[in-house]
Amino acid sequence: MEDNSGLSSRGLFLMIETLFTQALGLVAPWQVAEVIFKPESGRIDFQVRFGAANHACPALR
């Protein structure tokens, strides 16, 4: 599916993920994985993903 901007649905979704990732100040390996707008309740729900396979506990540094 494309709108008149020429973006596919996937391209638009990636742009929205990027927008929320940056707006929330997340940096790699953190990123917004899913955004769901619920107009009936006026909500925007999103999931955040930690993309690293391994990570150290910041409390143990």
Side-chain angles (χ1 to χ4, degrees):
M1 176 176 158
E2 289 193 10
D3 60 15
N4 57 3
S5 70
L7 287 174
S8 67
S9 295
R10 181 66 187 151
L12 184 59
F13 180 73
L14 289 173
M15 200 162 53
I16 291 169
E17 281 182 334
T18 301
L19 172 69
F20 274 86
T21 297
Q22 291 176 355
L24 293 168
L26 301 176
V27 294
W30 294 96
Q31 70 181 62
V32 172
E34 183 178 9
V35 178
I36 302 168
F37 175 55
K38 298 179 178 180
E40 66 281 353
S41 62
R43 291 175 51 121
I44 299 174
D45 294 331
F46 56 91
Q47 289 186 345
V48 175
R49 176 183 306 137
F50 185 77
N54 296 311
H55 59 282
C57 175
L60 299 178
R61 290 184 187 180

